[in-house]
Short mmCIF file of all heavy atoms in Angstrom, two decimals:
data_model
loop_
_atom_site.label_atom_id
_atom_site.label_comp_id
_atom_site.label_asym_id
_atom_site.label_seq_id
_atom_site.Cartn_x
_atom_site.Cartn_y
_atom_site.Cartn_z
N ILE A 1 -24.40 -23.80 19.86
CA ILE A 1 -23.13 -24.09 20.51
C ILE A 1 -22.27 -22.83 20.38
O ILE A 1 -21.98 -22.40 19.26
CB ILE A 1 -22.43 -25.29 19.84
CG1 ILE A 1 -23.32 -26.53 19.94
CG2 ILE A 1 -21.08 -25.52 20.49
CD1 ILE A 1 -22.81 -27.73 19.19
N PRO A 2 -21.86 -22.24 21.50
CA PRO A 2 -21.03 -21.04 21.43
C PRO A 2 -19.74 -21.29 20.65
O PRO A 2 -19.07 -22.31 20.87
CB PRO A 2 -20.74 -20.72 22.90
CG PRO A 2 -21.82 -21.40 23.66
CD PRO A 2 -22.17 -22.62 22.87
N PRO A 3 -19.39 -20.41 19.72
CA PRO A 3 -18.21 -20.64 18.88
C PRO A 3 -16.89 -20.65 19.65
O PRO A 3 -15.92 -21.24 19.20
CB PRO A 3 -18.25 -19.49 17.88
CG PRO A 3 -19.13 -18.46 18.48
CD PRO A 3 -20.08 -19.18 19.39
N ASP A 4 -16.85 -20.04 20.83
CA ASP A 4 -15.61 -20.00 21.61
C ASP A 4 -15.51 -21.13 22.63
O ASP A 4 -14.57 -21.18 23.42
CB ASP A 4 -15.47 -18.65 22.30
CG ASP A 4 -16.62 -18.36 23.26
OD1 ASP A 4 -17.69 -18.98 23.13
OD2 ASP A 4 -16.44 -17.49 24.14
N LEU A 5 -16.46 -22.05 22.61
CA LEU A 5 -16.43 -23.19 23.52
C LEU A 5 -15.38 -24.18 23.05
O LEU A 5 -15.40 -24.62 21.90
CB LEU A 5 -17.82 -23.84 23.56
CG LEU A 5 -18.16 -24.73 24.74
CD1 LEU A 5 -18.02 -23.98 26.06
CD2 LEU A 5 -19.59 -25.24 24.60
N ASP A 6 -14.45 -24.55 23.91
CA ASP A 6 -13.34 -25.42 23.54
C ASP A 6 -13.75 -26.89 23.66
O ASP A 6 -13.59 -27.52 24.70
CB ASP A 6 -12.14 -25.13 24.44
CG ASP A 6 -10.89 -25.87 24.00
OD1 ASP A 6 -10.79 -26.26 22.83
OD2 ASP A 6 -9.99 -26.05 24.85
N LEU A 7 -14.32 -27.43 22.57
CA LEU A 7 -14.80 -28.81 22.54
C LEU A 7 -14.11 -29.60 21.44
O LEU A 7 -13.75 -29.06 20.41
CB LEU A 7 -16.31 -28.85 22.26
CG LEU A 7 -17.24 -28.16 23.23
CD1 LEU A 7 -18.66 -28.20 22.70
CD2 LEU A 7 -17.17 -28.83 24.59
N ASP A 8 -13.97 -30.90 21.67
CA ASP A 8 -13.47 -31.80 20.62
C ASP A 8 -14.63 -32.50 19.93
O ASP A 8 -14.49 -32.97 18.81
CB ASP A 8 -12.53 -32.85 21.22
CG ASP A 8 -11.28 -32.23 21.82
OD1 ASP A 8 -10.78 -31.25 21.25
OD2 ASP A 8 -10.83 -32.71 22.87
N GLY A 9 -15.76 -32.61 20.60
CA GLY A 9 -16.93 -33.27 20.05
C GLY A 9 -18.13 -33.00 20.93
O GLY A 9 -18.00 -32.38 21.99
N VAL A 10 -19.29 -33.44 20.48
CA VAL A 10 -20.51 -33.27 21.26
C VAL A 10 -21.29 -34.59 21.28
O VAL A 10 -21.23 -35.37 20.33
CB VAL A 10 -21.42 -32.14 20.71
CG1 VAL A 10 -20.75 -30.80 20.86
CG2 VAL A 10 -21.79 -32.38 19.27
N GLU A 11 -21.98 -34.82 22.39
CA GLU A 11 -22.83 -35.99 22.50
C GLU A 11 -24.27 -35.58 22.23
O GLU A 11 -24.75 -34.58 22.76
CB GLU A 11 -22.73 -36.62 23.88
CG GLU A 11 -23.60 -37.85 24.02
CD GLU A 11 -23.60 -38.44 25.42
OE1 GLU A 11 -23.18 -37.76 26.38
OE2 GLU A 11 -24.04 -39.60 25.55
N MET A 12 -24.93 -36.34 21.40
CA MET A 12 -26.33 -36.09 21.08
C MET A 12 -27.20 -37.15 21.74
O MET A 12 -26.77 -38.28 21.96
CB MET A 12 -26.54 -36.17 19.57
CG MET A 12 -25.84 -35.09 18.80
SD MET A 12 -26.12 -35.20 17.03
CE MET A 12 -27.84 -35.56 16.92
N SER A 13 -28.41 -36.78 22.02
CA SER A 13 -29.38 -37.72 22.55
C SER A 13 -29.61 -38.83 21.53
O SER A 13 -29.60 -38.59 20.32
CB SER A 13 -30.71 -37.01 22.82
OG SER A 13 -31.75 -37.94 23.01
N ARG A 14 -29.87 -40.02 22.02
CA ARG A 14 -30.18 -41.13 21.09
C ARG A 14 -31.50 -40.90 20.38
O ARG A 14 -31.79 -41.52 19.37
CB ARG A 14 -30.20 -42.47 21.82
CG ARG A 14 -31.34 -42.63 22.80
CD ARG A 14 -31.21 -43.97 23.50
NE ARG A 14 -32.23 -44.14 24.51
CZ ARG A 14 -33.23 -45.00 24.42
NH1 ARG A 14 -33.34 -45.77 23.36
NH2 ARG A 14 -34.11 -45.09 25.38
N HIS A 15 -32.30 -39.98 20.89
CA HIS A 15 -33.59 -39.67 20.27
C HIS A 15 -33.47 -38.62 19.17
O HIS A 15 -34.40 -38.43 18.40
CB HIS A 15 -34.59 -39.20 21.33
CG HIS A 15 -34.80 -40.20 22.42
ND1 HIS A 15 -35.49 -41.38 22.23
CD2 HIS A 15 -34.37 -40.22 23.70
CE1 HIS A 15 -35.49 -42.07 23.35
NE2 HIS A 15 -34.82 -41.39 24.26
N ALA A 16 -32.33 -37.94 19.11
CA ALA A 16 -32.12 -36.90 18.10
C ALA A 16 -31.62 -37.52 16.80
O ALA A 16 -30.95 -38.55 16.81
CB ALA A 16 -31.10 -35.89 18.61
N LYS A 17 -31.96 -36.89 15.73
CA LYS A 17 -31.48 -37.30 14.40
C LYS A 17 -30.39 -36.33 13.97
O LYS A 17 -30.59 -35.11 13.99
CB LYS A 17 -32.61 -37.29 13.38
CG LYS A 17 -33.79 -38.16 13.76
CD LYS A 17 -33.47 -39.62 13.57
CE LYS A 17 -34.68 -40.49 13.79
NZ LYS A 17 -34.66 -41.21 15.04
N LEU A 18 -29.23 -36.85 13.59
CA LEU A 18 -28.11 -36.00 13.22
C LEU A 18 -28.46 -35.06 12.08
O LEU A 18 -28.12 -33.88 12.11
CB LEU A 18 -26.88 -36.84 12.87
CG LEU A 18 -25.61 -36.07 12.53
CD1 LEU A 18 -25.22 -35.12 13.66
CD2 LEU A 18 -24.48 -37.03 12.22
N ALA A 19 -29.17 -35.55 11.09
CA ALA A 19 -29.54 -34.71 9.95
C ALA A 19 -30.40 -33.53 10.40
O ALA A 19 -30.22 -32.40 9.93
CB ALA A 19 -30.28 -35.53 8.90
N GLU A 20 -31.32 -33.77 11.32
CA GLU A 20 -32.16 -32.68 11.84
C GLU A 20 -31.32 -31.71 12.67
O GLU A 20 -31.52 -30.50 12.59
CB GLU A 20 -33.30 -33.25 12.67
CG GLU A 20 -34.34 -34.00 11.87
CD GLU A 20 -35.40 -34.64 12.75
OE1 GLU A 20 -35.53 -34.25 13.94
OE2 GLU A 20 -36.08 -35.54 12.26
N ALA A 21 -30.41 -32.25 13.48
CA ALA A 21 -29.58 -31.40 14.32
C ALA A 21 -28.71 -30.48 13.46
O ALA A 21 -28.52 -29.31 13.79
CB ALA A 21 -28.70 -32.25 15.23
N ARG A 22 -28.22 -31.00 12.35
CA ARG A 22 -27.40 -30.17 11.45
C ARG A 22 -28.18 -28.97 10.91
O ARG A 22 -27.61 -27.95 10.59
CB ARG A 22 -26.84 -31.00 10.32
CG ARG A 22 -25.80 -32.02 10.78
CD ARG A 22 -25.00 -32.57 9.61
NE ARG A 22 -24.18 -33.68 9.98
CZ ARG A 22 -23.04 -33.61 10.68
NH1 ARG A 22 -22.63 -32.45 11.11
NH2 ARG A 22 -22.35 -34.68 10.96
N ASN A 23 -29.50 -29.11 10.81
CA ASN A 23 -30.34 -28.01 10.33
C ASN A 23 -30.83 -27.09 11.43
O ASN A 23 -31.29 -25.98 11.14
CB ASN A 23 -31.55 -28.57 9.56
CG ASN A 23 -31.15 -29.22 8.27
OD1 ASN A 23 -30.26 -28.77 7.59
ND2 ASN A 23 -31.82 -30.31 7.94
N THR A 24 -30.77 -27.53 12.67
CA THR A 24 -31.38 -26.73 13.76
C THR A 24 -30.40 -26.26 14.84
O THR A 24 -30.72 -25.33 15.56
CB THR A 24 -32.50 -27.53 14.44
OG1 THR A 24 -31.97 -28.74 14.97
CG2 THR A 24 -33.63 -27.84 13.47
N VAL A 25 -29.23 -26.88 14.95
CA VAL A 25 -28.28 -26.51 16.01
C VAL A 25 -27.10 -25.77 15.38
O VAL A 25 -26.27 -26.37 14.69
CB VAL A 25 -27.78 -27.76 16.78
CG1 VAL A 25 -26.78 -27.36 17.85
CG2 VAL A 25 -28.94 -28.53 17.37
N ASP A 26 -27.05 -24.47 15.62
CA ASP A 26 -25.96 -23.66 15.08
C ASP A 26 -24.62 -24.14 15.60
O ASP A 26 -24.43 -24.34 16.80
CB ASP A 26 -26.14 -22.19 15.47
CG ASP A 26 -27.30 -21.53 14.75
OD1 ASP A 26 -27.67 -22.01 13.66
OD2 ASP A 26 -27.82 -20.53 15.27
N GLY A 27 -23.67 -24.37 14.70
CA GLY A 27 -22.32 -24.74 15.07
C GLY A 27 -22.06 -26.22 15.18
O GLY A 27 -20.91 -26.63 15.35
N ILE A 28 -23.08 -27.05 15.09
CA ILE A 28 -22.87 -28.49 15.29
C ILE A 28 -21.97 -29.10 14.20
O ILE A 28 -21.28 -30.08 14.44
CB ILE A 28 -24.21 -29.25 15.41
CG1 ILE A 28 -23.97 -30.59 16.11
CG2 ILE A 28 -24.87 -29.41 14.06
CD1 ILE A 28 -25.23 -31.28 16.56
N ASP A 29 -21.96 -28.49 13.02
CA ASP A 29 -21.13 -29.01 11.94
C ASP A 29 -19.63 -28.88 12.23
O ASP A 29 -18.81 -29.49 11.56
CB ASP A 29 -21.44 -28.30 10.63
CG ASP A 29 -22.78 -28.75 10.05
OD1 ASP A 29 -23.16 -29.90 10.29
OD2 ASP A 29 -23.43 -27.94 9.37
N ASN A 30 -19.28 -28.11 13.25
CA ASN A 30 -17.88 -27.93 13.61
C ASN A 30 -17.34 -29.05 14.49
O ASN A 30 -16.16 -29.05 14.83
CB ASN A 30 -17.69 -26.59 14.34
CG ASN A 30 -18.07 -25.41 13.48
OD1 ASN A 30 -17.87 -25.42 12.28
ND2 ASN A 30 -18.64 -24.40 14.10
N TYR A 31 -18.20 -29.98 14.88
CA TYR A 31 -17.81 -31.00 15.84
C TYR A 31 -18.19 -32.41 15.39
O TYR A 31 -19.17 -32.61 14.69
CB TYR A 31 -18.49 -30.74 17.20
CG TYR A 31 -18.17 -29.39 17.75
CD1 TYR A 31 -19.07 -28.34 17.62
CD2 TYR A 31 -16.95 -29.16 18.37
CE1 TYR A 31 -18.77 -27.09 18.11
CE2 TYR A 31 -16.65 -27.90 18.87
CZ TYR A 31 -17.55 -26.87 18.74
OH TYR A 31 -17.26 -25.63 19.21
N CYS A 32 -17.41 -33.35 15.86
CA CYS A 32 -17.75 -34.76 15.72
C CYS A 32 -18.89 -35.03 16.70
O CYS A 32 -18.85 -34.59 17.85
CB CYS A 32 -16.54 -35.59 16.06
SG CYS A 32 -16.82 -37.35 15.99
N CYS A 33 -19.92 -35.73 16.26
CA CYS A 33 -21.08 -36.03 17.12
C CYS A 33 -21.09 -37.51 17.47
O CYS A 33 -20.91 -38.36 16.60
CB CYS A 33 -22.37 -35.67 16.40
SG CYS A 33 -22.52 -33.92 16.04
N ILE A 34 -21.29 -37.79 18.75
CA ILE A 34 -21.40 -39.17 19.21
C ILE A 34 -22.73 -39.34 19.91
O ILE A 34 -23.40 -38.38 20.24
CB ILE A 34 -20.24 -39.57 20.15
CG1 ILE A 34 -20.30 -38.77 21.46
CG2 ILE A 34 -18.90 -39.41 19.46
CD1 ILE A 34 -19.37 -39.29 22.54
N THR A 35 -23.12 -40.58 20.11
CA THR A 35 -24.33 -40.89 20.87
C THR A 35 -24.07 -42.14 21.69
O THR A 35 -23.27 -43.00 21.31
CB THR A 35 -25.54 -41.07 19.93
OG1 THR A 35 -26.70 -41.23 20.72
CG2 THR A 35 -25.38 -42.25 19.01
N ASN A 36 -24.69 -42.21 22.84
CA ASN A 36 -24.57 -43.36 23.73
C ASN A 36 -25.93 -43.62 24.35
O ASN A 36 -26.82 -42.78 24.28
CB ASN A 36 -23.52 -43.10 24.82
CG ASN A 36 -22.13 -43.05 24.26
OD1 ASN A 36 -21.63 -44.04 23.74
ND2 ASN A 36 -21.48 -41.89 24.32
N SER A 37 -26.09 -44.76 24.99
CA SER A 37 -27.41 -45.10 25.51
C SER A 37 -27.78 -44.26 26.73
O SER A 37 -28.95 -44.02 26.97
CB SER A 37 -27.49 -46.59 25.85
OG SER A 37 -26.56 -46.93 26.84
N ASP A 38 -26.80 -43.79 27.52
CA ASP A 38 -27.08 -42.97 28.70
C ASP A 38 -28.27 -43.56 29.46
O ASP A 38 -29.25 -42.89 29.77
CB ASP A 38 -27.36 -41.53 28.28
CG ASP A 38 -27.41 -40.59 29.49
OD1 ASP A 38 -26.83 -40.93 30.53
OD2 ASP A 38 -28.05 -39.54 29.39
N ALA A 39 -28.19 -44.85 29.70
CA ALA A 39 -29.32 -45.63 30.21
C ALA A 39 -29.74 -45.25 31.62
O ALA A 39 -28.92 -45.12 32.52
CB ALA A 39 -29.00 -47.11 30.15
N HIS A 40 -31.03 -45.10 31.79
CA HIS A 40 -31.63 -44.91 33.11
C HIS A 40 -32.46 -46.15 33.49
O HIS A 40 -32.96 -46.22 34.61
CB HIS A 40 -32.52 -43.66 33.12
CG HIS A 40 -31.74 -42.41 32.91
ND1 HIS A 40 -31.35 -41.60 33.94
CD2 HIS A 40 -31.24 -41.85 31.79
CE1 HIS A 40 -30.66 -40.58 33.46
NE2 HIS A 40 -30.59 -40.71 32.15
N PHE A 41 -32.58 -47.07 32.55
CA PHE A 41 -33.30 -48.33 32.77
C PHE A 41 -32.46 -49.46 32.19
O PHE A 41 -31.78 -49.30 31.18
CB PHE A 41 -34.67 -48.29 32.07
CG PHE A 41 -35.53 -47.15 32.54
CD1 PHE A 41 -35.61 -45.98 31.80
CD2 PHE A 41 -36.25 -47.24 33.73
CE1 PHE A 41 -36.38 -44.92 32.22
CE2 PHE A 41 -37.03 -46.19 34.16
CZ PHE A 41 -37.10 -45.02 33.41
N LEU A 42 -32.51 -50.64 32.80
CA LEU A 42 -31.70 -51.78 32.35
C LEU A 42 -31.92 -52.10 30.88
O LEU A 42 -30.96 -52.40 30.16
CB LEU A 42 -32.01 -53.01 33.21
CG LEU A 42 -31.47 -52.97 34.64
CD1 LEU A 42 -31.93 -54.21 35.40
CD2 LEU A 42 -29.96 -52.86 34.66
N ASP A 43 -33.14 -52.04 30.41
CA ASP A 43 -33.43 -52.38 29.02
C ASP A 43 -32.82 -51.40 28.03
O ASP A 43 -32.71 -51.69 26.84
CB ASP A 43 -34.93 -52.47 28.78
CG ASP A 43 -35.56 -53.68 29.43
OD1 ASP A 43 -34.80 -54.63 29.78
OD2 ASP A 43 -36.79 -53.70 29.60
N ASP A 44 -32.40 -50.22 28.49
CA ASP A 44 -31.82 -49.21 27.61
C ASP A 44 -30.31 -49.33 27.47
O ASP A 44 -29.72 -48.68 26.62
CB ASP A 44 -32.16 -47.80 28.11
CG ASP A 44 -33.63 -47.46 27.95
OD1 ASP A 44 -34.31 -48.14 27.15
OD2 ASP A 44 -34.10 -46.53 28.62
N ILE A 45 -29.67 -50.16 28.29
CA ILE A 45 -28.22 -50.31 28.22
C ILE A 45 -27.83 -50.90 26.87
O ILE A 45 -28.34 -51.94 26.46
CB ILE A 45 -27.69 -51.20 29.36
CG1 ILE A 45 -27.92 -50.51 30.70
CG2 ILE A 45 -26.20 -51.51 29.16
CD1 ILE A 45 -27.55 -51.35 31.91
N GLY A 46 -26.96 -50.21 26.17
CA GLY A 46 -26.46 -50.68 24.89
C GLY A 46 -27.39 -50.50 23.71
O GLY A 46 -27.11 -51.00 22.63
N VAL A 47 -28.49 -49.78 23.89
CA VAL A 47 -29.43 -49.57 22.79
C VAL A 47 -28.74 -48.84 21.63
O VAL A 47 -28.96 -49.15 20.47
CB VAL A 47 -30.68 -48.80 23.27
CG1 VAL A 47 -31.55 -48.35 22.11
CG2 VAL A 47 -31.48 -49.66 24.23
N VAL A 48 -27.92 -47.85 21.95
CA VAL A 48 -27.09 -47.17 20.96
C VAL A 48 -25.68 -47.08 21.52
O VAL A 48 -25.46 -47.16 22.72
CB VAL A 48 -27.61 -45.75 20.61
CG1 VAL A 48 -28.94 -45.82 19.92
CG2 VAL A 48 -27.68 -44.89 21.84
N SER A 49 -24.72 -46.93 20.63
CA SER A 49 -23.33 -46.83 21.08
C SER A 49 -22.50 -46.11 20.02
O SER A 49 -22.96 -45.88 18.91
CB SER A 49 -22.75 -48.22 21.33
OG SER A 49 -22.74 -48.96 20.13
N THR A 50 -21.30 -45.76 20.41
CA THR A 50 -20.33 -45.17 19.50
C THR A 50 -19.09 -46.03 19.55
O THR A 50 -18.62 -46.39 20.63
CB THR A 50 -20.00 -43.73 19.92
OG1 THR A 50 -21.19 -42.94 19.87
CG2 THR A 50 -18.96 -43.11 19.02
N VAL A 51 -18.54 -46.38 18.40
CA VAL A 51 -17.33 -47.18 18.33
C VAL A 51 -16.15 -46.24 18.05
O VAL A 51 -16.19 -45.47 17.09
CB VAL A 51 -17.43 -48.25 17.22
CG1 VAL A 51 -16.13 -49.02 17.10
CG2 VAL A 51 -18.59 -49.18 17.50
N PHE A 52 -15.15 -46.30 18.90
CA PHE A 52 -13.94 -45.49 18.72
C PHE A 52 -12.85 -46.38 18.15
O PHE A 52 -12.53 -47.41 18.73
CB PHE A 52 -13.47 -44.93 20.07
CG PHE A 52 -14.34 -43.83 20.60
CD1 PHE A 52 -15.55 -44.10 21.21
CD2 PHE A 52 -13.93 -42.51 20.49
CE1 PHE A 52 -16.35 -43.08 21.72
CE2 PHE A 52 -14.72 -41.48 20.99
CZ PHE A 52 -15.93 -41.77 21.59
N TYR A 53 -12.28 -45.99 17.03
CA TYR A 53 -11.14 -46.69 16.46
C TYR A 53 -9.89 -45.97 16.94
O TYR A 53 -9.61 -44.85 16.53
CB TYR A 53 -11.21 -46.69 14.93
CG TYR A 53 -12.32 -47.55 14.40
CD1 TYR A 53 -13.58 -47.03 14.15
CD2 TYR A 53 -12.11 -48.92 14.18
CE1 TYR A 53 -14.61 -47.84 13.68
CE2 TYR A 53 -13.13 -49.73 13.72
CZ TYR A 53 -14.36 -49.18 13.47
OH TYR A 53 -15.39 -49.98 13.01
N MET A 54 -9.15 -46.63 17.87
CA MET A 54 -7.98 -46.01 18.46
C MET A 54 -6.94 -47.07 18.81
O MET A 54 -7.25 -48.25 18.86
CB MET A 54 -8.37 -45.18 19.67
CG MET A 54 -9.22 -45.87 20.69
SD MET A 54 -9.87 -44.66 21.86
CE MET A 54 -10.66 -45.76 23.00
N ALA A 55 -5.72 -46.62 19.05
CA ALA A 55 -4.62 -47.54 19.31
C ALA A 55 -4.65 -48.12 20.72
O ALA A 55 -4.22 -49.26 20.94
CB ALA A 55 -3.29 -46.84 19.06
N GLU A 56 -5.13 -47.34 21.68
CA GLU A 56 -5.18 -47.80 23.07
C GLU A 56 -6.27 -47.01 23.80
O GLU A 56 -6.67 -45.94 23.34
CB GLU A 56 -3.83 -47.62 23.76
CG GLU A 56 -3.32 -46.20 23.73
CD GLU A 56 -1.90 -46.07 24.27
OE1 GLU A 56 -1.35 -47.05 24.79
OE2 GLU A 56 -1.35 -44.98 24.17
N PRO A 57 -6.76 -47.54 24.92
CA PRO A 57 -7.84 -46.86 25.65
C PRO A 57 -7.33 -45.73 26.54
O PRO A 57 -7.21 -45.88 27.76
CB PRO A 57 -8.47 -47.99 26.47
CG PRO A 57 -7.33 -48.93 26.72
CD PRO A 57 -6.47 -48.86 25.49
N THR A 58 -7.03 -44.59 25.93
CA THR A 58 -6.56 -43.42 26.67
C THR A 58 -7.37 -42.19 26.26
O THR A 58 -7.98 -42.16 25.19
CB THR A 58 -5.07 -43.14 26.41
OG1 THR A 58 -4.90 -42.79 25.03
CG2 THR A 58 -4.20 -44.34 26.76
N LEU A 59 -7.34 -41.18 27.11
CA LEU A 59 -8.03 -39.93 26.77
C LEU A 59 -7.42 -39.29 25.53
O LEU A 59 -8.13 -38.73 24.70
CB LEU A 59 -7.98 -38.97 27.95
CG LEU A 59 -8.81 -39.37 29.16
CD1 LEU A 59 -8.60 -38.39 30.31
CD2 LEU A 59 -10.28 -39.45 28.79
N ALA A 60 -6.11 -39.39 25.38
CA ALA A 60 -5.46 -38.82 24.19
C ALA A 60 -5.97 -39.50 22.92
O ALA A 60 -6.19 -38.84 21.90
CB ALA A 60 -3.94 -38.97 24.31
N GLU A 61 -6.16 -40.80 22.97
CA GLU A 61 -6.66 -41.53 21.80
C GLU A 61 -8.14 -41.20 21.52
O GLU A 61 -8.55 -41.13 20.36
CB GLU A 61 -6.48 -43.03 22.00
CG GLU A 61 -5.05 -43.49 21.86
CD GLU A 61 -4.55 -43.44 20.43
OE1 GLU A 61 -5.25 -43.91 19.52
OE2 GLU A 61 -3.44 -42.92 20.23
N ILE A 62 -8.92 -41.02 22.58
CA ILE A 62 -10.32 -40.62 22.38
C ILE A 62 -10.36 -39.27 21.67
O ILE A 62 -11.11 -39.08 20.71
CB ILE A 62 -11.08 -40.55 23.73
CG1 ILE A 62 -11.27 -41.96 24.27
CG2 ILE A 62 -12.41 -39.83 23.57
CD1 ILE A 62 -11.84 -42.00 25.68
N ARG A 63 -9.53 -38.35 22.11
CA ARG A 63 -9.46 -37.03 21.46
C ARG A 63 -9.06 -37.16 20.00
O ARG A 63 -9.65 -36.52 19.12
CB ARG A 63 -8.48 -36.13 22.22
CG ARG A 63 -8.47 -34.72 21.68
CD ARG A 63 -7.72 -33.80 22.64
NE ARG A 63 -8.02 -32.43 22.31
CZ ARG A 63 -7.23 -31.66 21.57
NH1 ARG A 63 -6.08 -32.12 21.11
NH2 ARG A 63 -7.57 -30.41 21.30
N LYS A 64 -8.05 -37.98 19.71
CA LYS A 64 -7.63 -38.18 18.32
C LYS A 64 -8.78 -38.75 17.49
O LYS A 64 -8.95 -38.38 16.33
CB LYS A 64 -6.42 -39.12 18.24
CG LYS A 64 -5.13 -38.47 18.62
CD LYS A 64 -3.98 -39.44 18.43
CE LYS A 64 -2.64 -38.80 18.78
NZ LYS A 64 -1.53 -39.71 18.51
N SER A 65 -9.56 -39.64 18.07
CA SER A 65 -10.69 -40.22 17.35
C SER A 65 -11.74 -39.15 17.04
O SER A 65 -12.26 -39.08 15.93
CB SER A 65 -11.34 -41.34 18.17
OG SER A 65 -10.45 -42.42 18.33
N LEU A 66 -12.05 -38.32 18.02
CA LEU A 66 -13.03 -37.26 17.82
C LEU A 66 -12.56 -36.26 16.76
O LEU A 66 -13.37 -35.75 15.98
CB LEU A 66 -13.30 -36.52 19.13
CG LEU A 66 -14.07 -37.30 20.18
CD1 LEU A 66 -14.05 -36.56 21.51
CD2 LEU A 66 -15.50 -37.55 19.73
N LEU A 67 -11.26 -36.01 16.72
CA LEU A 67 -10.71 -35.04 15.77
C LEU A 67 -10.27 -35.70 14.46
O LEU A 67 -9.76 -35.03 13.57
CB LEU A 67 -9.54 -34.30 16.41
CG LEU A 67 -9.90 -33.48 17.64
CD1 LEU A 67 -8.63 -32.90 18.30
CD2 LEU A 67 -10.88 -32.38 17.30
N GLN A 68 -10.43 -37.02 14.37
CA GLN A 68 -10.04 -37.80 13.19
C GLN A 68 -8.58 -37.57 12.82
O GLN A 68 -8.25 -37.25 11.68
CB GLN A 68 -10.97 -37.49 12.01
CG GLN A 68 -12.40 -37.84 12.31
CD GLN A 68 -13.34 -37.55 11.17
OE1 GLN A 68 -12.95 -37.39 10.01
NE2 GLN A 68 -14.61 -37.47 11.47
N GLN A 69 -7.70 -37.75 13.80
CA GLN A 69 -6.28 -37.56 13.61
C GLN A 69 -5.55 -38.89 13.58
O GLN A 69 -5.94 -39.84 14.26
CB GLN A 69 -5.70 -36.71 14.75
CG GLN A 69 -6.22 -35.30 14.79
CD GLN A 69 -5.69 -34.55 16.01
OE1 GLN A 69 -5.34 -35.12 17.02
NE2 GLN A 69 -5.69 -33.22 15.89
N ASP A 70 -4.47 -38.93 12.82
CA ASP A 70 -3.58 -40.10 12.78
C ASP A 70 -4.30 -41.42 12.51
O ASP A 70 -3.99 -42.45 13.10
CB ASP A 70 -2.78 -40.21 14.09
CG ASP A 70 -1.92 -38.99 14.38
OD1 ASP A 70 -1.43 -38.38 13.40
OD2 ASP A 70 -1.75 -38.65 15.56
N GLY A 71 -5.30 -41.37 11.66
CA GLY A 71 -6.04 -42.58 11.28
C GLY A 71 -7.11 -43.00 12.29
O GLY A 71 -7.80 -43.99 12.08
N ARG A 72 -7.25 -42.25 13.38
CA ARG A 72 -8.31 -42.57 14.36
C ARG A 72 -9.62 -42.01 13.86
O ARG A 72 -9.66 -41.04 13.12
CB ARG A 72 -8.01 -41.93 15.71
CG ARG A 72 -6.98 -42.57 16.63
CD ARG A 72 -5.89 -43.31 16.00
NE ARG A 72 -4.81 -43.57 16.94
CZ ARG A 72 -3.54 -43.42 16.63
NH1 ARG A 72 -3.18 -43.00 15.43
NH2 ARG A 72 -2.62 -43.71 17.50
N ARG A 73 -10.73 -42.64 14.29
CA ARG A 73 -12.03 -42.17 13.87
C ARG A 73 -13.08 -42.78 14.77
O ARG A 73 -12.77 -43.60 15.63
CB ARG A 73 -12.33 -42.52 12.41
CG ARG A 73 -12.34 -44.02 12.14
CD ARG A 73 -12.42 -44.31 10.64
NE ARG A 73 -12.34 -45.73 10.39
CZ ARG A 73 -13.38 -46.53 10.24
NH1 ARG A 73 -14.60 -46.05 10.33
NH2 ARG A 73 -13.23 -47.81 10.00
N ILE A 74 -14.31 -42.38 14.57
CA ILE A 74 -15.43 -42.96 15.30
C ILE A 74 -16.47 -43.43 14.31
O ILE A 74 -16.52 -42.99 13.16
CB ILE A 74 -16.06 -41.99 16.30
CG1 ILE A 74 -16.68 -40.80 15.57
CG2 ILE A 74 -15.09 -41.54 17.35
CD1 ILE A 74 -17.70 -40.07 16.38
N LEU A 75 -17.30 -44.34 14.77
CA LEU A 75 -18.41 -44.84 13.98
C LEU A 75 -19.64 -44.78 14.88
O LEU A 75 -19.64 -45.34 15.97
CB LEU A 75 -18.15 -46.29 13.55
CG LEU A 75 -19.24 -46.98 12.77
CD1 LEU A 75 -19.47 -46.29 11.43
CD2 LEU A 75 -18.89 -48.44 12.56
N ILE A 76 -20.66 -44.06 14.42
CA ILE A 76 -21.89 -43.94 15.21
C ILE A 76 -22.84 -45.03 14.78
O ILE A 76 -23.05 -45.26 13.62
CB ILE A 76 -22.54 -42.56 15.01
CG1 ILE A 76 -21.61 -41.48 15.49
CG2 ILE A 76 -23.86 -42.48 15.74
CD1 ILE A 76 -22.12 -40.08 15.29
#
């Protein structure tokens, strides 16, 4: 991940293991990592998800969750 890339978080494949990614992807420790089903088949919908703890469903709140600000957070 380029160090000058302006990101709040990164999405990982549901097939990737976070522990392995931390050892193989340079810079990943600088970001909150989420995963989603990214389904291409009906049976894959909802297989994995990320829970955002936020005050309201807005982009600003999603950003706060990714950055763990003001009590917001995510759960993978």
Side-chain angles (χ1 to χ4, degrees):
I1 300 174
D4 60 340
L5 199 57
D6 187 22
L7 299 175
D8 297 323
V10 294
E11 180 184 16
M12 294 180 42
S13 166
R14 68 183 176 111
H15 302 289
K17 303 286 187 254
L18 183 56
E20 290 175 18
R22 291 195 190 285
N23 292 323
T24 59
V25 179
D26 289 336
I28 201 167
D29 286 330
N30 299 325
Y31 303 99
C32 178
C33 297
I34 65 168
T35 186
N36 291 296
S37 61
D38 190 23
H40 295 261
F41 302 98
L42 288 176
D43 289 343
D44 290 341
I45 294 174
V47 170
V48 294
S49 62
T50 299
V51 176
F52 288 78
Y53 290 92
M54 51 192 186
E56 57 187 353
T58 65
L59 291 176
E61 287 288 313
I62 290 172
R63 185 168 195 261
K64 284 183 178 184
S65 295
L66 290 169
L67 298 174
Q68 299 180 19
Q69 295 176 335
D70 301 327
R72 282 29 165 224
R73 61 189 176 95
I74 64 160
L75 177 64
I76 298 177

